[in-house]
């Protein structure tokens, strides 16, 4: 079933390719009936809308974890800095207003629980089992490892762990996400299910 929303999702700021988005939607639809979903790294909400649309169909919710002040590469003077998302008055990169506007326009606010804090803070007292976790947060090794360690343990058996920006070669992109992907596989707790572009999908055994 194709995704139909009252918003031009291709116009939303973000770094999710079309084939990756379709795969994310597919697995979200598979899992949303089994429990809540969670993503780390919402940015302006492009991936959130795909997850939330699946949750609407199943009557579930997606927890959207993001401090909304951008990763290292989004800061002033860095490669992926977007001046339209920079709050010059406060001197911070800020994606939260854009994120909320996109949820409202898409009519999906009732299916998203924004958690505006780092993974470590959100996970500190977390007890809810999750049906799917999508990791697309900071790309430093420290940040990527923290996201994995905070949330992978909360996946139900049979649940999906999806990790974005897997680049086998350093010249293609940062190596932290694929290092975490390999760590998950080596743990013996996950099996590989699918690779679509730079999106890796694992299932909790």
């Amino acid at each position: 079933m194709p995704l139909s929303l009252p918003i031009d999702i291709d116009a939303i700021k973000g770094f999710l390719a079309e084939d990756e988005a379709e795969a994310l939607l597919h697995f979200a639809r598979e899992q949303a009936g089994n429990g809540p979903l969670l993503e780390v790294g919402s940015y302006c909400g492009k991936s959130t809308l795909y997850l939330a649309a699946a949750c609407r169909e199943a009557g579930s919710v997606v927890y959207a974890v993001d401090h909304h002040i951008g990763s290292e590469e989004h800061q002033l003077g860095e490669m992926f800095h977007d001046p339209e998302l920079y709050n010059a008055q406060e001197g911070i990169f800020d994606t939260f207003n854009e994120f909320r506007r996109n949820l409202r326009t898409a009519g999906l606010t009732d299916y998203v629980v924004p958690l505006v804090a780092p993974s470590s803070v959100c996970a500190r007292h977390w007890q809810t089992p999750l049906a799917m976790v999508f990791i697309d947060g900071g790309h430093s090794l420290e940040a990527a490892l923290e996201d994995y360690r905070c949330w992978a343990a909360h996946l139900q058996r049979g649940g999906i762990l999806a990790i974005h920006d897997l680049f086998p070669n350093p010249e293609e992109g940062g190596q932290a996400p694929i290092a975490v992907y390999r760590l998950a596989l080596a743990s013996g707790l996950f099996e590989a299910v699918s690779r679509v572009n730079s999106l890796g999908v694992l299932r909790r055994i």
Side-chain angles (χ1 to χ4, degrees), residues 10-50:
D10 293 329
I12 295 175
K13 295 176 185 290
F15 308 95
L16 193 68
E18 185 177 348
D19 55 352
E20 296 169 342
E22 290 174 358
L24 199 64
L25 179 62
H26 168 79
F27 287 103
R29 281 172 165 162
E30 174 194 290
Q31 291 296 319
N34 299 327
L37 316 183
L38 182 142
E39 73 167 350
V40 184
S42 303
Y43 197 59
C44 294
K46 178 173 281 190
S47 58
T48 318
L49 296 187
Y50 286 97

Side-chain angles (χ1 to χ4, degrees), residues 75-127:
Q75 303 311 310
L76 192 64
E78 297 299 324
M79 182 180 296
F80 292 103
H81 178 73
D82 185 339
E84 293 182 358
L85 298 173
Y86 185 69
N87 184 329
Q89 184 175 354
E90 297 187 32
I92 59 169
F93 192 78
D94 186 353
T95 58
F96 193 45
N97 286 337
E98 187 79 8
F99 171 78
R100 290 188 300 169
R101 183 181 302 113
N102 289 331
L103 290 184
R104 287 195 301 270
T105 304
L108 291 172
T109 54
D110 289 347
Y111 304 94
V112 181
V113 182
L115 301 177
V116 188
S119 271
S120 59
V121 175
C122 295
R124 192 170 294 159
H125 300 289
W126 191 270
Q127 297 183 29

Side-chain angles (χ1 to χ4, degrees), residues 183-202:
L183 178 67
L185 273 180
S187 73
L189 298 174
F190 295 92
E191 61 181 3
V193 175
S194 179
R195 283 285 293 271
V196 178
N197 202 336
S198 75
L199 180 72
V201 181
L202 306 168

